[in-house]
Amino acid sequence: MAYGKTCFAGLAWLLASLPARAINDTQNGAAGTLTTPGGAASALASSGDPSNSATAIGGSAILTTPLGGGNATATARTSNATPGASTSTVAQANGGNGGRGDATNRPAAGSATAAAVVTNGAANQSIVLAATAIGGGNGGALSNYSIAGDSGSASASVTGTAAGAALLQGTASALGGSRNAFPNPPSGGGNGGNAFATGRLDNPGGASTVLTLNAIGGDGGAWDGIPGDPLVSGRSAGQAGGVFFGQAFASAAGSVLVDVTGRGGNGGLGYRGFATSGASVSLNNVANGTAGDRVELRQTAVGGSGGGASGAFGADGGSASSLLDRTIATRTLIGRTSATGGAGGVSTLVGANGNGGTATASTRLVNPTGAAQALAQATTPVVYSTGGWTGDATAQAVANSGQAFGGIGATAQATATGGFGGGFGRGGGAQATALAQAAGGATTATAVADGGPGGVNASNLVSATAQANNTGAGGAAATASASGSHTGGSVASSATAAAAGFVVRSVRAQTGSGSSYSSTTTQDSRARLGVAPATTPSSLVWGSALGAPSAADLSGAFASAPHAAGRFDLTNPRQRLLLATFSAAPLSQVGSATVQLGATIDLASLPTSERGSLQLALLGGSGSFSTLHFRVLRASSTALDLTFTTPAEANAYFADHVLDLGALDPTATGTVAVDIILDVTGGNYAGTMFLGNAPIPEPATWLLVGVGLTVWLGQLRRRRPS
């Protein structure tokens, strides 16, 4: 007995010392016959060799039989691979195609499941995993009044663990099955297959981890029906396949990238009606990860297109939503969300096109120990020809940084693009909001909203809002751009920048147009504090507020205003508060445009000995208009309210003219806000203004003047003859 145990132990040692052998397992399910469905297939490849692959292909049914396709399952596993060697673990599964449905049978296509697994990956390895699953397609319908079976679903997963790998990379892709050939009338296609993807990669101490998940829903099958036929009443084309995700997590000591993409299946076509909508996609906080140096998370959602129709209405496109809200401590945190609404189905012969899907993208990031960059992009589709409306696009980006890294604090960028509406439809509205909050470093917020044009019923709302707030060093810059098309919409932009270390706490610029504009109008608002001035926009309506401008920024501003220049000591930074430039040009003679510029002064940053008088210098203006309404507010109270009806009158008023808005109280605390508002109707007007803290002559100066005047009068009196 002891001898047997010794031999067994020796054999075990010998087997363990032998190098692992790669396993490549390929299994094919049996093909269907006239009486049997396609066979299932299952493949397994598992070893410690650096390279393992498993492929499973389900058997397909004979197309003309009402029988199903075979399921497929593939698993590839690598464990305890040799240190330093590259590792490849690949799993591929394809479901078998189903046959055609008849009056009583709806044969389903085969499903597909693929999994790639790596455990105990060694240090310094390059480890790659891939799992791909493709659901089988349905075969359509066999005879009149029959419906095809459903296409196969697909599920893909990657799981990996390593200790200090140079690279741990995994990709899981799932594609739901679909079949979109027209059936024989009157009959219909089945539903598209759903798609599911999930993954987790853990690489503590490793340099880099990359995780990619893709899920694409299958298309709904087509429907061919006879309107009014009681045997097909209430039936429709197949439903589009949906997309679903499990976890999507990656970790490393160095950098992490997690990229998740979901695309909804397209709706089924409807010949003589009964088209179906595209699948909607919702990604809600799917991507996640941790790393010491850099974490980048991406989420992309794409709605499926609506099914087209012949002789009836096209179906609506699916909506898309991608929402990401993460708090992660790292040196650099980046989040990107993208959402694209599905296009409406096109109708031919009779009926209107389907409506386009809406799109919502939102990225909210908090990084307490480093830089934060949040990006969000939402796009809605074109609606073809007549009828359909396109959905609205909404994008929001919020970045919050607790500590700058590499000179970068917080960056927020939001872009919303509305689609083109049909001939009688409404163009897509667009709302973009960007908010950047930092405690130092470069802090920028950019919002871009572009509304889509529409037909005779066009009416969209377009707004862009950007806010940048920096409580540390580095300044702040905010830019908002809004563009709208066609009569009936409204366009507005707003930018606000706030930063520490300046007499000016914040500056702001806003623009707006009424609903009586035609063609296309573009508006820009730019607010910057403690950073270089922005380039001059080329849009029709814009406003720029530059807080705490440098002496170089003002070098050319006073060239035609010597009187105003004499009021200030432009070498003193406490007297330079705001440089405001603007252009207001509504497109139609009855249209209107508004520009509002302003600054908030922090009295705590202004010594009482240097508090003078708030003065607004008008450095020149020009244009042609029906009316110009000019208002100035101090602390929300009206300091000036004028209306000009001739350009000559306005030009003369804005030429080297200084307005005294009152002294700054030396005993006051808190803030003082100044707002400048210009409303232009039926034309255009552009100009430049400067808000300064003008010095007030000292009491001793006035005393010397009084003494001198007294002596002079006395001398005159003595010289007068008796």
Side-chain angles (χ1 to χ4, degrees):
M1 180 69 71
Y3 175 76
K5 290 182 177 179
T6 302
C7 289
F8 180 79
L11 179 61
W13 174 85
L14 178 62
L15 292 173
S17 64
L18 293 174
R21 182 174 60 88
I23 296 180
N24 300 299
D25 186 22
T26 299
Q27 299 293 329
N28 293 288
T33 69
L34 292 176
T35 58
T36 60
S42 180
L44 172 63
S46 178
S47 78
D49 189 272
S51 179
N52 294 288
S53 65
T55 302
I57 301 176
S60 294
I62 295 177
L63 184 62
T64 57
T65 63
L67 302 172
N71 298 331
T73 302
T75 304
R77 182 181 293 112
T78 301
S79 60
N80 302 311
T82 304
S86 296
T87 297
S88 175
T89 306
V90 179
Q92 170 85 42
N94 290 47
N97 295 330
R100 290 180 173 175
D102 59 20
T104 58
N105 298 294
R106 296 187 60 191
S111 62
T113 303
V117 182
V118 170
T119 57
N120 301 322
N124 302 319
Q125 282 185 319
S126 177
I127 303 172
V128 178
L129 307 86
T132 303
I134 303 175
N138 67 72
L142 182 63
S143 61
N144 291 352
Y145 307 111
S146 59
I147 301 177
D150 295 339
S151 296
S153 61
S155 177
S157 66
V158 290
T159 306
T161 59
L167 172 65
L168 178 58
Q169 179 174 336
T171 302
S173 299
L175 291 79
S178 60
R179 177 63 63 85
N180 207 23
F182 265 91
N184 295 321
S187 54
N191 299 326
N194 294 330
F196 174 82
T198 186
R200 182 181 180 106
L201 303 178
D202 291 292
N203 187 15
S208 177
T209 303
V210 178
L211 174 62
T212 303
L213 301 183
N214 299 302
I216 302 175
D219 297 342
W223 167 262
D224 188 347
I226 300 175
D229 190 328
L231 294 178
V232 297
S233 176
R235 296 183 182 179
S236 65
Q239 300 296 320
V243 297
F244 307 92
F245 292 93
Q247 63 176 331
F249 179 86
S251 67
S255 65
V256 155
L257 170 61
V258 179
D259 192 345
V260 179
T261 300
R263 295 177 180 271
N266 298 322
L269 299 174
Y271 182 63
R272 290 177 286 192
F274 311 104
T276 53
S277 300
S280 295
V281 176
S282 177
L283 304 182
N284 188 359
N285 244 18
V286 179
N288 197 9
T290 60
D293 291 334
R294 176 188 173 102
V295 174
E296 183 170 355
L297 308 176
R298 302 175 183 173
Q299 287 185 184
T300 301
V302 181
S305 297
S310 177
F313 292 97
D316 295 342
S319 62
S321 174
S322 182
L323 311 178
L324 183 65
D325 189 343
R326 295 296 186 195
T327 298
I328 299 173
T330 183
R331 289 181 176 177
T332 300
L333 175 61
I334 302 173
R336 304 172 186 266
T337 58
S338 175
T340 303
V346 177
S347 175
T348 60
L349 299 181
V350 179
N353 296 327
N355 297 323
T358 60
T360 303
S362 175
T363 305
R364 302 177 64 90
L365 300 179
V366 177
N367 185 1
T369 60
Q373 300 178 35
L375 301 96
Q377 181 173 346
T379 305
T380 54
V382 171
V383 173
Y384 298 96
S385 188
T386 60
W389 290 20
T390 189
D392 294 334
T394 304
Q396 181 186 66
V398 180
N400 192 318
S401 166
Q403 178 180 329
F405 177 73
I408 304 298
T411 302
Q413 182 174 328
T415 303
T417 305
F420 183 90
F424 294 95
R426 179 182 70 90
Q431 292 83 43
T433 304
L435 173 61
Q437 172 76 40
T443 305
T444 60
T446 304
V448 179
D450 186 4
V456 296
N457 294 323
S459 176
N460 56 49
L461 303 178
V462 182
S463 67
T465 303
Q467 297 181 16
N469 185 16
N470 189 353
T471 59
T479 301
S481 177
S483 177
S485 301
H486 281 250
T487 304
S490 64
V491 180
S493 67
S494 174
T496 303
F502 302 95
V503 174
V504 178
R505 176 177 292 183
S506 65
V507 293
R508 52 200 167 271
Q510 300 176 21
T511 67
S513 287
S515 60
S516 297
Y517 68 87
S518 60
S519 187
T520 300
T521 181
T522 302
Q523 302 179 18
D524 285 284
S525 295
R526 303 186 179 187
R528 303 170 80 86
L529 179 55
V531 295
T535 57
T536 301
S538 59
S539 54
L540 293 171
V541 182
W542 58 268
S544 175
L546 178 62
S550 67
D553 297 333
L554 300 174
S555 59
F558 286 86
S560 300
H563 169 69
R567 293 289 190 97
F568 309 97
D569 178 6
L570 298 180
T571 64
N572 186 345
R574 291 190 174 91
Q575 294 189 27
R576 304 191 303 262
L577 304 181
L578 173 69
L579 179 64
T581 53
F582 69 93
S583 174
L587 285 171
S588 68
Q589 292 303 308
V590 296
S592 63
T594 299
V595 177
Q596 181 170 341
L597 305 164
T600 298
I601 297 94
D602 183 7
L603 294 177
S605 300
L606 191 60
T608 57
S609 60
E610 294 195 45
R611 296 185 187 180
S613 173
L614 282 178
Q615 296 191 5
L616 181 64
L618 310 182
L619 306 181
S622 63
S624 176
F625 52 80
S626 298
T627 59
L628 168 63
H629 189 191
F630 177 45
R631 290 172 290 163
V632 180
L633 308 180
R634 173 174 171 166
S636 300
S637 297
T638 300
L640 180 72
D641 190 337
L642 295 175
T643 298
F644 302 96
T645 57
T646 65
E649 182 185 10
N651 294 344
Y653 189 83
F654 275 80
D656 198 10
H657 185 194
V658 179
L659 305 174
D660 193 333
L661 306 182
L664 292 170
D665 188 343
T667 64
T669 59
T671 61
V672 175
V674 175
D675 289 283
I676 307 160
I677 306 170
L678 301 105
D679 297 294
V680 177
T681 301
N684 62 84
Y685 203 75
T688 302
M689 292 172 282
F690 171 78
L691 178 66
N693 170 33
I696 299 175
E698 296 289 341
T701 302
W702 288 113
L703 178 61
L704 290 175
V705 172
V707 170
L709 181 61
T710 301
V711 172
W712 179 68
L713 290 174
Q715 290 176 344
L716 287 178
R717 190 175 293 110
R718 284 194 298 270
R719 293 175 183 175
R720 183 179 302 169
S722 56

